[in-house]
Amino acid sequence: MTTKYIIAFDQGTTSTRTILFDASGHIVATAQRELTQHYPQSGWVEHDAIEIYKHQKATFEEVLNKVNISEKDVASIGITNQRETTVVWDKETGIPIYNAIVWLDSRTKNYCKELKEEGHEAYVRANTGLMIDSYFSATKLNWILNNVEGAREKAEVGKLLFGTIDAWLIYKFTNGDKHVTDVTNASRTMLYNCKELKWDKKLLNIFNIPETMLPDVQISSSHFGNITYNNIEIPIYGVAGDQQAALFGQGGTAPGIAKNTYGTGCFMLLHTGKEFIVSKNGLLTTIACSLPNQEVQYALEGSIFVGGASIQWLRDQLQIISTAQETEDICNSIPPLKDVYVVPAFAGLGAPYWDADAKGAMYGLTLDTGKNEIIKATVEALAYQTKDVLKAMQEDGKMKLKKLQVDGGASNNSYLMQFQADMLNVPVDKPEIIEVTALGAALLAGLKAGIWNETDLQTLRKTEEIYMPTMTSEMRHLKYLGWKKAIKRTLTK
């Protein structure tokens, strides 16, 4: 078995990747394609689902061609994906009837307000662990059925299928043989009862969605079908939404482990075990990856909509940096900021505020404020938002965090990681392999394939650096107080 490899499909918001892991959990090869972003109207974000499939197929083939191994040496494939993004396709042709509506898309926020006014929020919270928000799949699916010509009629007679990106890729790669998803992705649709572990008929009725459209739901480490390549069948043995996969890749299989992923958004998850905790502090309850033969596991999640995307904004819209990597040196080159804050509410504010109408803002600008101060304040906003979420988590989970495990692109920024440790007053632990989202999917697939066992999950993750807090408690308090004032001014409700 030591010669076997695992492949992870990592389909994200801005790119599509394939990563090949060996039996020791090391990356052997990787291939990537940037994903085209479509913005038809203000607040609308779409992807071409066909492009996603083509890029995933191209990167899969590129990785296999890069290394001198046979398809027979690939034990299994794991899939991890951007969550909530919604695809609807024709059951007969396999062609999407509309672009994929991305999780960031806010076109359904008025519909969400109507649902809240009708009194549906309490039921949604109690049974899905989510709150009514345009972020989740249900309202996006409802929009497609109501706004694409003929969609509602086709759906009613069983001719349309719905899926999050994982289900779409599985369907395409198995040539339409499998219409399935896993529990972690199902738990993000606002249609899945996370207590009873089944599609919720009351919610399907509220959102007016035919059950025939929905995929079958399986545990994250199970058989999702086979991909045929050069007449060799490779099983798909692991599937998980990107944030749950990252928690799993960080060794998060037991209560009390927390991780933060600094990607397009920032996502913090705290494993809470078998307990379904309904947050009192604006967090979400979600299903975590569970080990084979383990009862369903849950996590509290705080979703920060704009994380790394705010650094892209500095690069692409303001054009005051050329690359994200520049920000570390810039932050280190100027003195500590005095009351300058950027609140990157470009897609509203997520946890723990949940204000869809909030807009991005800058505070504390003076004639001395230059582009470097704006860059530094934007970087620091990632750490402040993370502190907001962690405070809420600790209150809900009744537990004190001992350290934060981090991953994602911005975890490479040493200034940000040190500032994060200072703001939280706990150590920040960065692993050797920051591709823990892909690693999590690979681990799920490798467990089912027999490449690894449960004890391997802890030993495969190795620490590269630990950032210890050095800021005084007085300075920490003053800086965070300034942030809270900036947030208060930004909120619309």
Side-chain angles (χ1 to χ4, degrees):
M1 296 298 285
T2 54
T3 60
K4 288 287 187 178
Y5 297 84
I6 301 288
I7 280 179
F9 290 171
D10 185 358
Q11 204 297 302
T13 309
T14 57
S15 70
T16 302
R17 300 187 301 165
T18 297
I19 299 176
L20 180 71
F21 291 89
D22 64 20
S24 60
H26 292 122
I27 294 174
V28 178
T30 183
Q32 180 171 338
R33 298 283 189 282
E34 192 162 326
L35 183 55
T36 308
Q37 309 294 312
H38 300 274
Y39 306 104
Q41 295 185 32
S42 176
W44 292 29
V45 189
E46 297 177 0
H47 290 158
D48 179 347
I50 295 290
E51 180 188 36
I52 287 173
Y53 166 65
K54 286 181 177 177
H55 283 184
Q56 195 68 77
K57 187 170 183 288
T59 57
F60 171 54
E61 292 172 353
E62 184 180 331
V63 157
L64 286 177
N65 290 331
K66 272 185 178 181
V67 291
N68 187 27
I69 63 168
S70 164
E71 300 80 38
K72 294 176 183 177
D73 290 325
V74 179
S76 62
I77 291 169
I79 298 176
T80 185
N81 55 285
Q82 52 166 315
R83 304 171 304 170
E84 298 97 16
T85 297
T86 299
V87 188
V88 176
W89 64 94
D90 188 294
K91 189 176 181 179
E92 294 171 353
T93 66
I95 297 172
I97 64 168
Y98 189 79
N99 273 346
I101 301 181
V102 179
W103 58 275
L104 275 166
D105 187 286
S106 60
R107 76 186 66 186
T108 62
K109 67 180 183 181
N110 290 332
Y111 175 44
C112 290
K113 288 177 183 175
E114 292 171 17
L115 292 165
K116 289 177 185 177
E117 288 165 4
E118 290 168 7
H120 297 304
E121 179 92 277
Y123 186 84
V124 168
R125 292 281 291 149
N127 293 281
T128 70
L130 311 177
M131 54 185 63
I132 294 176
D133 193 88
S134 56
Y135 178 29
F136 306 108
S137 310
T139 62
K140 302 177 194 297
L141 175 49
N142 172 279
W143 188 93
I144 290 173
L145 292 180
N146 291 340
N147 288 276
V148 176
E149 188 177 353
R152 174 70 63 188
E153 293 76 14
K154 274 191 164 186
E156 296 292 351
V157 294
K159 290 187 176 179
L160 293 183
L161 298 177
F162 151 77
T164 42
I165 295 298
D166 59 304
W168 164 246
L169 288 175
I170 292 166
Y171 186 86
K172 293 299 288 182
F173 274 102
T174 62
N175 295 314
D177 185 46
K178 294 287 185 179
H179 183 217
V180 291
T181 189
D182 89 300
V183 287
T184 69
N185 279 294
S187 76
R188 309 298 296 187
T189 60
M190 211 156 59
L191 298 171
Y192 193 69
N193 191 307
C194 292
K195 291 177 176 175
E196 298 178 3
L197 304 180
K198 63 182 182 182
W199 297 115
D200 191 301
K201 293 188 185 300
K202 182 174 179 178
L203 291 172
L204 292 175
N205 185 52
I206 289 170
F207 292 104
N208 195 15
I209 292 166
E211 192 167 1
T212 54
M213 297 186 72
L214 305 178
D216 293 333
V217 184
Q218 301 178 191
I219 65 167
S220 301
S221 186
S222 59
H223 190 196
F224 291 86
N226 298 322
I227 294 177
T228 303
Y229 184 75
N230 287 344
N231 296 316
I232 301 295
E233 287 197 343
I234 307 171
I236 305 167
Y237 274 164
V239 173
D242 51 11
Q243 303 314 318
Q244 289 97 326
L247 180 62
F248 199 75
Q250 289 273 29
T253 58
I257 297 175
K259 71 89 198 173
N260 195 28
T261 297
Y262 300 81
T264 304
C266 289
F267 298 89
M268 184 182 283
L269 269 72
L270 173 68
H271 197 294
T272 58
K274 295 183 287 184
E275 189 178 359
F276 182 92
I277 299 172
V278 177
S279 173
K280 297 175 183 173
N281 293 287
L283 301 179
L284 308 175
T285 309
T286 197
I287 295 180
C289 298
S290 54
L291 297 168
N293 306 314
Q294 185 183 41
E295 285 185 62
V296 65
Q297 303 289 299
Y298 297 99
L300 283 170
E301 175 172 332
S303 308
I304 299 163
F305 294 157
V306 176
S310 62
I311 309 302
Q312 289 177 317
W313 168 72
L314 294 174
R315 183 192 68 190
D316 299 339
Q317 304 307 123
L318 298 191
Q319 297 183 359
I320 56 177
I321 58 171
S322 300
T323 66
Q325 289 72 28
E326 292 172 35
T327 60
E328 182 179 336
D329 287 340
I330 290 169
C331 289
N332 284 320
S333 70
I334 61 173
L337 297 176
K338 293 182 179 177
D339 300 322
V340 179
Y341 295 91
V342 171
V343 180
F346 303 122
L349 283 171
Y353 306 107
W354 294 101
D355 187 344
D357 295 321
K359 297 290 190 292
M362 296 184 201
Y363 298 99
L365 305 188
T366 67
L367 288 174
D368 296 327
T369 307
K371 66 176 185 178
N372 286 352
E373 284 74 20
I374 292 170
I375 291 165
K376 189 167 186 171
T378 304
V379 170
E380 289 183 352
L382 275 69
Y384 288 127
Q385 291 178 101
T386 300
K387 184 176 175 75
D388 288 341
V389 172
L390 180 63
K391 283 187 69 181
M393 273 184 180
Q394 293 187 146
E395 288 177 28
D396 282 330
K398 304 288 190 293
M399 56 183 76
K400 187 171 174 60
L401 191 72
K402 292 181 180 177
K403 70 175 178 178
L404 178 68
Q405 300 187 170
V406 298
D407 57 81
S411 67
N412 284 318
N413 186 321
S414 292
Y415 175 81
L416 173 60
M417 293 300 98
Q418 182 59 54
F419 190 74
Q420 186 72 83
D422 288 336
M423 277 298 106
L424 299 181
N425 198 27
V426 297
V428 167
D429 182 338
K430 177 188 167 188
E432 281 184 4
I433 298 176
I434 65 166
E435 304 294 355
V436 293
T437 303
L439 178 61
L443 290 174
L444 288 166
L447 279 170
K448 175 71 176 170
I451 299 295
W452 298 302
N453 57 42
E454 292 178 21
T455 57
D456 293 327
L457 297 181
Q458 306 305 322
T459 57
L460 285 169
R461 184 202 182 276
K462 292 180 174 61
T463 295
E464 179 180 278
E465 190 161 359
I466 294 181
Y467 297 86
M468 300 299 294
T470 57
M471 187 178 286
T472 65
S473 57
E474 182 184 16
M475 181 60 72
R476 181 182 305 112
H477 173 74
L478 287 172
K479 283 187 168 292
Y480 190 57
L481 189 64
W483 168 257
K484 295 299 280 187
K485 287 179 181 176
I487 286 287
K488 189 175 181 180
R489 292 171 183 158
T490 306
L491 293 171
T492 64
K493 57 185 178 182

